[in-house]
Amino acid sequence: AQKVTQAQTEISVVEKEDVTLDCVYETRDTTYYLFWYKQPPSGELVFLIRRNSFDEQNEISGRYSWNFQKSTSSFNFTITASQVVDSAVYFCALSEVTRSGTYKYIFGTGTRLKVLA
Amino acid sequence: SAVISQKPSRDICQRGTSLTIQCQVDSQVTMMFWYRQQPGQSLTLIATANQGSEATYESGFVIDKFPISRPNLTFSTLTVSNMSPEDSSIYLCSVEYRREAFFGQGTRLTVV
């Protein structure tokens, strides 16, 4: 069965520390997409990154970086020099093609990140 | 990108009543999705709405409780019927546009 596991329920760090959020997924498909979303206290979901299953190149965007490793089915997210504004719930998600040809998103349970000043 | 407007942003409702949530997209999209996020939980897909056909519901969700309309390629509504306190959640509309999922701001529903 398809599944996304975010084992870290809540993480607290002090501002300027680096923090890594873990994501492990399960799928039988060879073609799939992985995502990270941020949900600040206001509630909206903010897209951070999409990675397809054929692209294992790590990506860096400012203070954010992502490490995709198919061998361990992991797609971890690192925030460097964390800031208070990074405090939010972060969701990892997996997208797969259904039998009808549509895409279905499966979300992890989320990791609540608290960055303390 | 696709911009989604969702209304209302929040509401407090009496048990036994119904609430209709609207979702408007600035682009034509084939599929629209409705999610529920219960307090402190992850997102759970309620149903997928395709224009011109009945919505497809996920296990645990039924049309009588969550009727959905999809009159055109840019609009959908979700109704939460005969509400109970257990329906208190954030309800999110989502679309897939160029292989990326976009979400509305969510409707924070409290049932008292």
Side-chain angles (χ1 to χ4, degrees):
Chain A
Q2 297 78 24
K3 188 177 177 182
V4 176
T5 301
Q6 293 179 257
Q8 304 150 307
T9 305
E10 185 169 312
I11 301 175
S12 292
V13 298
V14 177
E15 205 170 20
K16 297 183 183 178
E17 285 185 352
D18 299 347
V19 58
T20 295
L21 310 182
D22 298 332
C23 174
V24 175
Y25 63 93
E26 295 176 28
T27 178
R28 283 174 285 188
D29 284 8
T30 55
T31 301
Y32 52 89
Y33 289 82
L34 295 163
F35 302 80
W36 276 95
Y37 288 88
K38 175 182 179 180
Q39 187 177 44
S42 52
E44 77 274 19
L45 275 166
V46 178
F47 167 83
L48 296 178
I49 190 172
R50 176 189 72 198
R51 173 67 72 228
N52 75 55
S53 52
F54 297 106
D55 182 3
E56 289 193 69
Q57 190 172 6
N58 291 329
E59 181 161 337
I60 298 175
S61 176
R63 295 185 297 109
Y64 296 167
S65 63
W66 291 269
N67 184 351
F68 176 31
Q69 294 195 350
K70 278 180 90 169
S71 60
T72 56
S73 297
S74 65
F75 186 44
N76 296 337
F77 171 34
T78 298
I79 301 175
T80 304
S82 59
Q83 300 175 1
V84 173
V85 293
D86 295 327
S87 298
V89 180
Y90 291 85
F91 290 98
C92 180
L94 168 69
S95 166
E96 296 181 322
V97 180
T98 66
R99 289 180 183 174
S100 60
T102 61
Y103 288 91
K104 181 174 179 178
Y105 288 77
I106 300 159
F107 285 82
T109 50
T111 297
R112 181 177 299 277
L113 174 64
K114 293 184 178 180
V115 182
L116 308 173
Chain B
S1 67
V3 178
I4 302 174
S5 299
Q6 193 173 330
K7 295 192 290 189
S9 58
R10 60 177 62 230
D11 208 341
I12 301 173
C13 300
Q14 296 291 322
R15 67 178 66 202
T17 62
S18 297
L19 175 71
T20 295
I21 303 168
Q22 299 180 3
C23 179
Q24 179 76 50
V25 190
D26 68 344
S27 304
Q28 292 187 338
V29 293
T30 304
M31 311 297 290
M32 295 179 77
F33 306 87
W34 287 98
Y35 288 85
R36 181 177 72 182
Q37 186 180 21
Q38 293 176 301
Q41 303 296 315
S42 185
L43 283 74
T44 302
L45 182 64
I46 297 172
T48 303
N50 195 359
Q51 193 267 334
S53 64
E54 278 200 4
T56 303
Y57 288 82
E58 297 296 305
S59 176
F61 298 96
V62 295
I63 188 171
D64 290 346
K65 177 67 176 177
F66 298 102
I68 289 172
S69 78
R70 182 78 202 276
N72 57 53
L73 291 174
T74 62
F75 187 78
S76 178
T77 67
L78 168 76
T79 299
V80 186
S81 303
N82 189 24
M83 288 183 285
S84 67
E86 292 70 36
D87 294 319
S88 298
S89 296
I90 297 175
Y91 293 85
L92 293 120
C93 169
S94 174
V95 302
E96 184 164 317
Y97 184 74
R98 295 183 179 177
R99 288 303 299 118
E100 188 177 314
F102 293 88
F103 291 85
Q105 308 93 317
T107 296
R108 193 178 295 268
L109 170 63
T110 302
V111 184
V112 298

